Amino acid sequence: MSEKNLLGRRNFIKGFGAAAGVALAAPAMAVSEKADGVKWDKEVEVMIIGSGFAGLAAAIESVRQGAKDVHMFEKMSYFGGNSAINGGLYAAPGTPMQKTEGVKDSVDRMVADQVKAGRGVADEALLRHVAEHAVEGLQLTLDAGSEYHPYLQQLGGHSVARTYQTTVSCGAGITQPLYKECKRLGVKAHNRSKFEGFLVGKNGEIEGVKMRQNYHFGEDQPGEVLNIRAKRGVIMATGGFGQNVDLRMAQDPTLTAEVGCTNAPGATGEGMYEMFRLGAIPVHLAHIQSGPWASPDEGGFGYVSNYTIFNFPHSMAVHRLTGKRFMNEIADRKTRADAELSCRDEKGEAMPPLLITSYKHSKKHPNTKKVLKYDVGWKFDSVEALAKHFDVPLKPLKEQIAEYNSYVKSGDDKQFGKNMTKAKGKYIEAPFTVVRLWPKVHYCQGGVQINVKAEVKDSFTGKSIPKLYAAGEVTGGVHGVSRLGSCSIPECIVMGMTAARSVMKA
Amino acid sequence: MSEKNLLGRRNFIKGFGAAAGVALAAPAMAVSEKADGVKWDKEVEVMIIGSGFAGLAAAIESVRQGAKDVHMFEKMSYFGGNSAINGGLYAAPGTPMQKTEGVKDSVDRMVADQVKAGRGVADEALLRHVAEHAVEGLQLTLDAGSEYHPYLQQLGGHSVARTYQTTVSCGAGITQPLYKECKRLGVKAHNRSKFEGFLVGKNGEIEGVKMRQNYHFGEDQPGEVLNIRAKRGVIMATGGFGQNVDLRMAQDPTLTAEVGCTNAPGATGEGMYEMFRLGAIPVHLAHIQSGPWASPDEGGFGYVSNYTIFNFPHSMAVHRLTGKRFMNEIADRKTRADAELSCRDEKGEAMPPLLITSYKHSKKHPNTKKVLKYDVGWKFDSVEALAKHFDVPLKPLKEQIAEYNSYVKSGDDKQFGKNMTKAKGKYIEAPFTVVRLWPKVHYCQGGVQINVKAEVKDSFTGKSIPKLYAAGEVTGGVHGVSRLGSCSIPECIVMGMTAARSVMKA
């Protein structure tokens, strides 16, 4: 369990710093061109770029709205994008399961939770639009065949339990059914197809795009570029830029290549940058979210993330050097990530804190077996064994466990004000399961500004760029400073559907 | 003293919200064009766009580096931009006045203060470059004839006194001498000239720009557009976007038209947006700084701002409803602005706090007379009169004054850890001068990413855009989340000089 390579907080860039994680071959001049005189190689009705939650929902909804010729382009060899490897968590207010479990919730309440996490600068109109259509979006996934655990979760920053999770505890539990539904509906899905810029008409409208065929991600010899016309318009669902080290370091020099990232490798942001070249407004690029549920002992999202998301409500996080709690285990993501990053020794070296859970409660989550099997989590029969293994001071740790258990009993966390509802009766008792925590780059709150029609605004004219729509992580401002967990999938699904409705109305 | 129109924090935008403060007439498609086949109306050696600190310094340094034909373009009728109305405060480490006053300082110390205020995401390489050349930049202003008060100030967030201020307590004390020096050196300065986009060569290099002549800001019938070639390159010194309400609300929906702004009206950001259309990387646009030294009782920067900047070290800020202090009066700008914004009644209405100073100390600043004359500050002969006027509870206020004065005596602020060095012997005693405080939009930390050569990076290639340079508030990332006061002028002057050296070397 080496502490190496966790991160060098404030590992300063000199000049422009390190090269991008993925080299991007592109000319220096704006990539988009005027469509005037362009020879079109192909024509489609609705063009969708990206095949994650937003792209898939846009494709399905386009067909539902009457489109006959919908094309979805994906630069990677596989479909599903970064969505396919996310946690599969879907928050919605007023769901059937909330009724079953007796949870009182509303659009207002969900929006208020998100505005709070967004530190006052979230776009409330967009949050409300998504919350109002979240149940409808959930239904779209159910109709396509997605399956969810038969219980709700209350994730950090949410004031009530409102989160569904796929039975496979992964976004693929949504992207795969949606992809199948797309195929069933006749959507043409093209992989290895890389967006290379817009073709812009006389009035600034998006007439089509340049699309590289037979593209092999990260390789040097990509294929031919076709000019493809999009009769109704283009929906950009190209995702975030968490894997583009150079671009994320431009926003935060501490997010070096050594900092872990949960995203799929294709999350490199060139779709977003191309929209800026058109005149789209960059919003909140500086707000990059690190997931506080990640483990330094495995790559990417791994097994631990979903394990901890499930277990945080009835677990106790402690600082290794003190044996004491240091945060509300279900505070919003930014609050927790900042608290974890502050767990260091006197030299400033990272000391990943421990999440301690009673084995009898943790084992209810399917990932617990894998966490133990792959040595990214450990089981201890006594607090003494736990303390010895991690070199935690025993006496303070014992006292902390006793104190925490008193809050489980009283329902009142006097240390950090944690909502103890979901911890009821779940005392911290041997045997324990323990994982280590350290944040990883997870989500880009920033992107292009859109409105509730998924239209993209031009910075000069203040008007929407004709025939251009954007949905999902490529857009910015929706969540403000910090996105709440399980709020990305509803956003992607709802805004993808919204973009489809707009493109079919235009 | 109405509380009206102070601000509606969380005055949500619906859809895209209000129109821009200033209407921008421009086409929807990218404004920049390929230079191929362009008919050039004019050719210059070095082209500088903008005439604030950065533009003026770039012009002077270009001539010093051997340029024979330097042209500076300004869209407004007057030269100096927003710089002409700023506070005229210049921070530098290792100055002659620090030697005289016995202040120990260094580049490392100034950079460390700024990194702290920047919340860890400032570009340390740029901060260091500026700090290393800050004395040289100060000398450039002195050579041109700028005059400074014969004492140093210690501004909020600075760990030592290192700030010069012009004798006129205004940036015009620098822009006017620099402008005269430009004229003396033969720089051609053009007003009413509006930048309308780049003309881009075959390899992505900036060959020239489109420049509107006889432009009248805010009016409908602007003049002819010339294609002007820039042989060596273009230096963009076009400033921030604090006055563009629509664009600032895209980053922070609470910064509505009702929120005050200290900037000159021309600070609308179109130069920055045009660089994004070329492929420049947007950094930290979300970080918009509000000045905590402003008054709700006057427009813009007004008289109070410089009065409070001078007086904060030996003054006491109190909440009107409690009579108690609520912040360290010399914390960094963001810390103080956030603290002031939290001063509200139980309904959430703004309750601008009071800055209380002994008249015998405040009167040393030349603005004190004006503050009293124009009724944006008030003088009271007793604490009773003060409390009655503002309806502050008397007893708690008296206790707070006594407590604060005990910290003046001990040098140890037990309430907020304020550095009491500059408060030594300066007790809060009648008669008092009092002003009200409320933050105003002041500075955009965000802009285009540059390196220590003032080159602008392309988001796709990762390389600098040939023959393009940027300096001053139009650039982003230098200061991180929050800029320290008096650090903008050295940045503008040094990066303007740096851009000139780069353009003459290229």
Side-chain angles (χ1 to χ4, degrees):
Chain A
M1 283 204 305
S2 154
E3 309 291 0
K4 273 184 199 167
N5 285 334
L6 280 175
L7 57 69
R9 197 78 183 162
R10 290 239 39 97
N11 187 348
F12 298 123
I13 44 167
K14 306 296 179 195
F16 277 142
V22 175
L24 296 166
M29 171 54 179
V31 186
S32 293
E33 294 171 12
K34 292 194 175 172
D36 219 25
V38 155
K39 183 191 153 289
W40 297 108
D41 297 298
K42 189 172 177 173
E43 184 174 275
V44 303
E45 185 183 2
V46 174
M47 177 182 293
I48 295 155
I49 303 181
S51 69
F53 298 125
L56 292 161
I60 292 168
E61 186 64 18
S62 295
V63 176
R64 289 184 176 180
Q65 295 290 323
K68 305 291 178 207
D69 185 37
V70 178
H71 290 252
M72 183 173 66
F73 296 89
E74 166 59 52
K75 74 176 171 186
M76 307 303 280
S77 57
Y78 50 88
F79 293 96
N82 185 50
S83 303
I85 61 161
N86 100 332
L89 296 151
Y90 192 115
T95 58
M97 199 135 62
Q98 283 186 325
K99 204 170 178 185
T100 308
E101 297 194 9
V103 178
K104 283 187 183 165
D105 198 7
S106 66
V107 167
D108 281 345
R109 185 166 191 154
M110 178 158 156
V111 170
D113 288 350
Q114 294 178 277
V115 164
K116 189 179 171 196
R119 310 293 197 270
V121 299
D123 186 325
E124 187 174 312
L126 283 169
L127 288 177
R128 186 167 297 280
H129 177 79
V130 170
E132 282 170 351
H133 296 81
V135 172
E136 191 184 348
L138 183 65
Q139 191 60 49
L140 179 138
T141 71
L142 290 164
D143 291 347
S146 291
E147 291 175 4
Y148 295 93
H149 289 307
Y151 53 82
L152 287 175
Q153 295 181 54
Q154 180 177 348
L155 268 59
H158 290 271
S159 62
V160 295
R162 60 166 71 99
T163 298
Y164 283 62
Q165 185 169 35
T166 58
T167 49
V168 291
S169 298
C170 175
I174 297 173
T175 57
Q176 287 179 1
L178 294 190
Y179 178 72
K180 279 181 198 158
E181 180 68 3
C182 281
K183 299 301 284 184
R184 196 184 69 78
L185 293 171
V187 171
K188 283 87 165 180
H190 312 268
N191 65 346
R192 295 198 185 283
S193 297
K194 182 160 185 292
F195 165 73
E196 298 254 315
F198 298 101
L199 291 162
V200 186
K202 280 179 191 160
N203 299 313
E205 76 278 18
I206 304 304
E207 282 209 34
V209 307
K210 296 184 283 182
M211 186 68 71
R212 193 173 289 277
Q213 307 294 292
N214 195 27
Y215 172 75
H216 287 242
F217 182 75
E219 294 182 21
D220 279 343
Q221 297 172 319
E224 185 195 9
V225 175
L226 300 185
N227 296 323
I228 307 179
R229 188 155 182 265
K231 275 188 285 185
R232 288 189 183 268
V234 176
I235 298 173
M236 296 293 284
T238 52
F241 60 95
Q243 283 288 9
N244 191 322
V245 176
D246 202 24
L247 298 183
R248 77 188 195 208
M249 281 181 69
Q251 309 304 327
D252 183 345
T254 69
L255 300 178
T256 63
E258 285 70 43
V259 178
C261 178
T262 65
N263 287 189
T268 48
E270 57 269 32
M272 175 185 77
Y273 274 88
E274 192 54 32
M275 285 191 274
F276 295 156
R277 288 184 194 233
L278 275 183
I281 296 175
V283 181
H284 294 178
L285 298 200
H287 300 320
I288 298 174
Q289 178 174 78
S290 291
W293 25 248
S295 161
D297 300 309
E298 60 181 357
F301 200 74
Y303 293 113
V304 172
S305 300
N306 266 324
Y307 163 92
T308 58
I309 288 167
F310 175 84
N311 285 304
F312 269 124
H314 48 270
S315 298
M316 190 181 93
V318 300
H319 196 301
R320 272 181 60 186
L321 296 181
T322 64
K324 294 292 180 192
R325 284 173 81 210
F326 61 94
M327 67 176 187
N328 168 359
E329 292 84 357
I330 54 171
D332 70 67
R333 287 177 171 176
K334 182 171 167 56
T335 301
R336 287 182 291 168
D338 288 348
E340 292 170 14
L341 288 169
S342 73
C343 292
R344 295 173 182 280
D345 66 15
E346 70 284 358
K347 288 176 191 161
E349 294 296 315
M351 294 294 287
L354 308 176
L355 189 73
I356 303 175
T357 314
S358 297
Y359 176 69
K360 66 182 169 195
H361 300 126
S362 74
K363 73 178 180 188
K364 288 176 188 163
H365 195 272
N367 279 20
T368 304
K369 275 185 191 171
K370 289 171 185 165
V371 160
L372 297 174
K373 179 179 171 187
Y374 294 111
D375 271 345
V376 294
W378 301 268
K379 191 179 165 200
F380 301 98
D381 289 331
S382 68
V383 64
E384 287 78 10
L386 188 167
K388 192 179 171 196
H389 183 87
F390 292 106
D391 199 18
V392 185
L394 180 62
K395 190 162 170 271
L397 178 61
K398 279 183 161 176
E399 289 166 359
Q400 176 64 78
I401 292 174
E403 186 177 347
Y404 181 83
N405 282 338
S406 77
Y407 306 148
V408 174
K409 191 172 183 187
S410 67
D412 180 16
D413 172 13
K414 291 192 189 299
Q415 276 180 296
F416 294 98
K418 179 179 180 177
N419 181 330
M420 301 299 281
T421 311
K422 284 261 169 187
K424 197 175 176 184
K426 293 182 179 168
Y427 296 95
I428 304 288
E429 291 166 340
F432 308 102
T433 335
V434 179
V435 295
R436 304 201 308 161
L437 301 170
W438 202 253
K440 287 181 185 168
V441 172
H442 181 59
Y443 184 81
C444 298
Q445 270 95 193
V448 301
Q449 190 185 25
I450 56 164
N451 63 9
V452 293
K453 294 177 181 171
E455 296 168 342
V456 179
K457 185 171 164 179
D458 182 286
S459 63
F460 278 88
T461 63
K463 293 179 184 161
S464 300
I465 298 172
K467 297 177 70 179
L468 180 66
Y469 306 88
E473 195 174 343
V474 74
T475 70
V478 185
H479 301 284
V481 173
S482 181
R483 177 176 68 78
L484 285 186
S486 70
C487 288
S488 178
I489 306 185
E491 181 211 337
C492 289
I493 301 280
V494 170
M495 293 314 298
M497 292 169 74
T498 300
R501 288 168 189 182
S502 292
V503 81
M504 293 303 292
K505 258 187 215 161
Chain B
M1 283 203 304
S2 157
E3 309 291 0
K4 271 186 203 167
N5 285 333
L6 280 176
L7 57 70
R9 198 79 183 163
R10 291 241 36 102
N11 186 349
F12 298 122
I13 45 168
K14 305 296 177 196
F16 279 142
V22 175
L24 297 167
M29 171 54 179
V31 187
S32 293
E33 294 172 11
K34 292 193 175 172
D36 221 24
V38 154
K39 183 190 152 290
W40 297 107
D41 297 297
K42 190 171 174 173
E43 185 174 276
V44 304
E45 185 182 2
V46 174
M47 177 182 294
I48 296 155
I49 303 179
S51 69
F53 299 125
L56 291 161
I60 292 169
E61 186 65 17
S62 295
V63 177
R64 287 184 177 180
Q65 296 289 324
K68 306 292 181 207
D69 185 38
V70 178
H71 289 251
M72 183 172 67
F73 296 89
E74 166 59 52
K75 76 176 170 186
M76 307 303 279
S77 58
Y78 51 88
F79 293 97
N82 185 49
S83 302
I85 60 161
N86 99 332
L89 296 152
Y90 192 116
T95 56
M97 200 133 63
Q98 284 187 323
K99 205 169 177 186
T100 307
E101 296 194 9
V103 177
K104 282 186 186 167
D105 198 7
S106 66
V107 166
D108 281 346
R109 184 165 191 154
M110 178 160 156
V111 170
D113 287 348
Q114 293 177 278
V115 165
K116 189 178 171 196
R119 309 296 197 268
V121 298
D123 186 326
E124 188 174 309
L126 283 169
L127 287 177
R128 186 167 295 280
H129 177 79
V130 171
E132 282 170 351
H133 296 81
V135 172
E136 192 185 345
L138 183 65
Q139 190 61 49
L140 179 138
T141 71
L142 289 164
D143 290 348
S146 291
E147 292 176 4
Y148 295 93
H149 289 307
Y151 53 81
L152 288 175
Q153 294 181 54
Q154 180 177 347
L155 268 58
H158 289 272
S159 61
V160 295
R162 61 165 71 98
T163 298
Y164 283 63
Q165 186 170 33
T166 58
T167 50
V168 291
S169 299
C170 175
I174 296 172
T175 56
Q176 287 179 0
L178 293 190
Y179 180 72
K180 279 183 196 159
E181 179 69 2
C182 281
K183 299 302 283 184
R184 197 186 68 79
L185 293 171
V187 171
K188 284 87 166 180
H190 312 268
N191 65 346
R192 294 199 185 282
S193 297
K194 181 158 186 295
F195 165 73
E196 297 254 314
F198 297 102
L199 292 162
V200 185
K202 280 178 191 159
N203 300 312
E205 76 278 17
I206 305 305
E207 282 208 36
V209 306
K210 296 184 281 181
M211 184 68 70
R212 194 172 289 276
Q213 306 293 292
N214 196 27
Y215 172 74
H216 288 242
F217 183 74
E219 294 183 20
D220 278 342
Q221 297 173 317
E224 183 194 10
V225 176
L226 300 185
N227 296 323
I228 307 180
R229 188 157 182 265
K231 275 189 286 185
R232 289 188 182 268
V234 175
I235 298 173
M236 296 292 282
T238 52
F241 60 95
Q243 284 288 10
N244 191 322
V245 175
D246 202 23
L247 299 183
R248 78 189 195 209
M249 281 181 69
Q251 309 303 326
D252 183 344
T254 68
L255 300 178
T256 63
E258 285 70 43
V259 178
C261 178
T262 65
N263 288 189
T268 48
E270 56 269 32
M272 177 185 75
Y273 274 87
E274 192 54 33
M275 285 191 274
F276 295 156
R277 289 186 193 232
L278 275 182
I281 297 174
V283 181
H284 294 178
L285 298 201
H287 301 321
I288 298 174
Q289 178 174 78
S290 291
W293 23 247
S295 162
D297 299 308
E298 60 181 356
F301 200 75
Y303 292 115
V304 172
S305 300
N306 265 325
Y307 163 93
T308 56
I309 289 167
F310 175 85
N311 284 305
F312 269 125
H314 48 268
S315 298
M316 192 180 92
V318 300
H319 195 302
R320 272 181 61 186
L321 296 180
T322 65
K324 294 293 180 191
R325 285 173 80 211
F326 60 94
M327 67 175 186
N328 168 1
E329 292 84 356
I330 55 171
D332 69 67
R333 286 177 171 175
K334 183 172 167 55
T335 301
R336 286 182 291 167
D338 288 349
E340 292 170 14
L341 288 169
S342 74
C343 291
R344 295 173 183 281
D345 66 15
E346 70 284 358
K347 289 178 192 161
E349 294 295 316
M351 295 293 287
L354 308 176
L355 189 72
I356 304 176
T357 315
S358 298
Y359 176 68
K360 66 182 168 194
H361 301 125
S362 74
K363 74 178 179 187
K364 287 178 188 162
H365 195 273
N367 280 21
T368 305
K369 275 186 191 171
K370 289 172 185 162
V371 160
L372 297 174
K373 179 178 170 187
Y374 294 110
D375 271 345
V376 293
W378 302 268
K379 191 179 165 199
F380 301 98
D381 289 329
S382 69
V383 64
E384 286 78 10
L386 188 166
K388 190 178 173 197
H389 183 87
F390 293 106
D391 200 18
V392 186
L394 180 61
K395 191 163 169 270
L397 178 61
K398 277 184 162 175
E399 289 166 358
Q400 177 63 80
I401 292 174
E403 186 177 347
Y404 182 84
N405 282 338
S406 76
Y407 307 148
V408 175
K409 191 173 181 185
S410 67
D412 179 17
D413 172 13
K414 290 192 192 297
Q415 276 180 296
F416 294 98
K418 178 179 180 178
N419 181 329
M420 301 298 281
T421 311
K422 285 261 170 183
K424 199 175 174 185
K426 293 181 178 167
Y427 295 97
I428 304 288
E429 291 167 339
F432 308 101
T433 335
V434 179
V435 295
R436 303 202 309 162
L437 300 171
W438 202 254
K440 287 181 186 170
V441 171
H442 180 59
Y443 184 82
C444 299
Q445 270 95 193
V448 301
Q449 189 184 26
I450 55 163
N451 63 10
V452 292
K453 293 177 181 171
E455 296 167 344
V456 179
K457 187 171 163 179
D458 182 287
S459 63
F460 278 88
T461 62
K463 293 178 184 163
S464 300
I465 298 173
K467 297 177 71 181
L468 179 67
Y469 306 87
E473 195 174 345
V474 73
T475 71
V478 185
H479 301 284
V481 173
S482 180
R483 178 175 67 78
L484 286 185
S486 71
C487 289
S488 178
I489 307 185
E491 181 211 336
C492 289
I493 301 280
V494 169
M495 293 314 297
M497 292 169 73
T498 299
R501 288 168 190 182
S502 293
V503 81
M504 293 305 290
K505 257 188 215 159

